[in-house]
Structure formats: C-alpha cells, structure tokens
Amino acid sequence: MIQARPITIADEVTLLRGGAAPTGPIVTAIESIAARAPFRHLQTPGGGTMSVAMTNCGPWGWHSDPRGYRYVECDPLTGERWPPMPALFTNLAGAAATLGGFPGFEPDACLVNRYAPGAQMGAHRDWDELDKRFPIVSVSIGLPALFLWYGAKRQGKPVATLVEDGDVVVWGGSARAGYHGVRKLPPGEHPAAGALRYNLTFRRAK
Ligand code: MD6
Ligand code: FE
C-alpha cells in the first residue's frame, strides 16, 4: 500500500511524498466520476467564481453558491446522487490518515478539484464538516503546485511546500482549523494528467 516516510510540515500537518503513486488509476477514476458529475466552477457567497473547477464523489459533496457553503447529497447540476467513492480512494485516504497520526478515518466526502494553469486557492480553512476530530487528507495529482500552510492565522508568511504528483498532505488535531491555500498554478505538461493538476480532498462531512 502506501510506503512513504512522513515529513512534518507543521505541528500535526504531515506530507507523505509519493503516498498516492502511481496516480494513473486515480486519473482514470476521476475521468469516470467527471463523466457523471461534470467539473464546474462554483460561485462563492461573496459573488465571485472559483478559478478551481470542482466535482465530488461519495455520499456527500461540498457545494458553494451565493447562499453559502454546505454539503449536499445530490449534485445540483444533475439532480443525481454523487458517484460512489471508489474503494481505491477510500483505502488510500484511510491509510494516509493513519500514517499522518489519525487512525480510523473513513471519509464520506471526496471533493475533486481541477486546477488549470492560473487557477489558485486563497487562504481558507476546511470548516464545513460536523466532527472536527477527523482529519483532512489532500492528494495531489499531475502538475506540481505550491501548497501554502498559514496555520492558525489567515495572514502572515505561509510555509510553502512543493506538492507533486502522488504527494499526500494530512492535517488534523490541533492543525484541523489551519488556514491553507494553493499558489497560482504555473503552466506545464504531465504524462498522466496533461496540462492540469487535480487534488482530492477527503473529509468526514457528517
Ligand atoms: C490542494 N486544496 O489543492 C489543497 N480546499 O493542495 C484545498 O485546500 C482545497 O482544493 C477546499 C476546497 C478545494 C481545495
Ligand atoms: Fe482546503
């Protein structure tokens, strides 16, 4: 399964380099999820449109629109339930969480993010989940990006980590409320993902 030496980015924030390699099967799974629940650019409550395109798999899917952020059981675009979470994803998330120090993680939501060059994610925290005792597991696929860890405060100088194809970041416990983001994606070409970066964020929503 996962073979990675955990690297500490910050207290209770762990990088597993290559923890999700090889990513070819993950890209194939993402493509079949997107065939049923297409990628879309969500609107934010503030009136903006996100530069990252998103879809979901699993029982719950994260959604944003002018009314706010929330988890929904059906895709608002199609009215259908989100595609099931592949066993490959569930197993990977559980194994990564264990290596990050959070055994017993069973995600019920997988947000699938697609970054084209120029897309970015401003400093935010993942805070729409019910039980904050569960960690967040974040898997990077395709083009490399700079993952920014701000920690307890939204402002200040973040710790920047290059996350490459197959890298996994796990945060929880005292870091669960941590602010983080992704620097604007530079252009490039990747054998498995083409000119794109994907990111899976696994959560326990409910
Ligand atoms: C990453 N992504 O892409 C980290 N959070 O490496 C996130 O923190 C994230 O992509 C919430 C929603 C979408 C995301
Ligand atoms: Fe996030």
Side-chain angles (χ1 to χ4, degrees):
M1 254 249 63
I2 292 198
Q3 286 207 344
R5 185 171 47 87
I7 297 167
T8 298
I9 293 178
D11 196 28
E12 297 197 273
V13 184
T14 303
L15 169 65
L16 306 168
R17 279 216 186 281
T23 57
I26 299 178
V27 173
T28 303
I30 290 172
E31 285 165 353
S32 79
I33 290 162
R36 288 172 60 178
F39 281 104
R40 79 291 309 261
H41 294 272
L42 296 172
Q43 290 187 272
T44 63
T49 301
M50 300 185 80
S51 61
V52 178
M54 297 182 181
T55 185
N56 293 277
C57 65
W60 293 93
W62 188 82
H63 184 66
S64 171
D65 65 16
R67 282 166 45 210
Y69 303 135
R70 62 196 173 279
Y71 281 93
V72 293
E73 287 182 283
C74 291
D75 180 352
L77 210 57
T78 63
E80 302 287 329
R81 288 190 172 274
W82 299 105
M85 201 181 304
L88 169 69
F89 285 18
T90 321
N91 295 339
L92 169 63
T98 299
L99 282 177
F102 304 96
F105 179 52
E106 293 179 13
D108 62 3
C110 174
L111 173 59
V112 185
N113 303 292
R114 187 184 69 192
Y115 292 69
Q120 60 187 318
M121 181 73 60
H124 69 281
R125 51 185 185 167
D126 298 354
W127 206 240
D128 303 307
E129 300 74 30
L130 209 54
D131 188 339
K132 312 289 195 289
R133 287 176 301 184
F134 291 104
I136 300 285
V137 173
S138 168
V139 177
S140 293
I141 298 134
L143 292 182
L146 274 179
F147 177 74
L148 308 173
W149 185 262
Y150 293 84
K153 296 199 183 120
R154 186 183 219 124
Q155 63 277 58
K157 194 175 146 64
V159 178
T161 303
L162 188 70
V163 283
E164 299 183 277
D165 184 63
D167 290 351
V168 182
V169 183
V170 179
W171 63 94
S174 61
R176 182 61 180 72
Y179 285 94
H180 58 278
V182 177
R183 183 80 48 80
K184 190 169 169 176
L185 189 76
E189 189 65 33
H190 185 272
L196 296 169
R197 170 178 189 259
Y198 295 105
N199 168 266
L200 307 175
T201 39
F202 292 97
R203 296 104 182 272
R204 180 60 173 253
K206 302 288 175 182

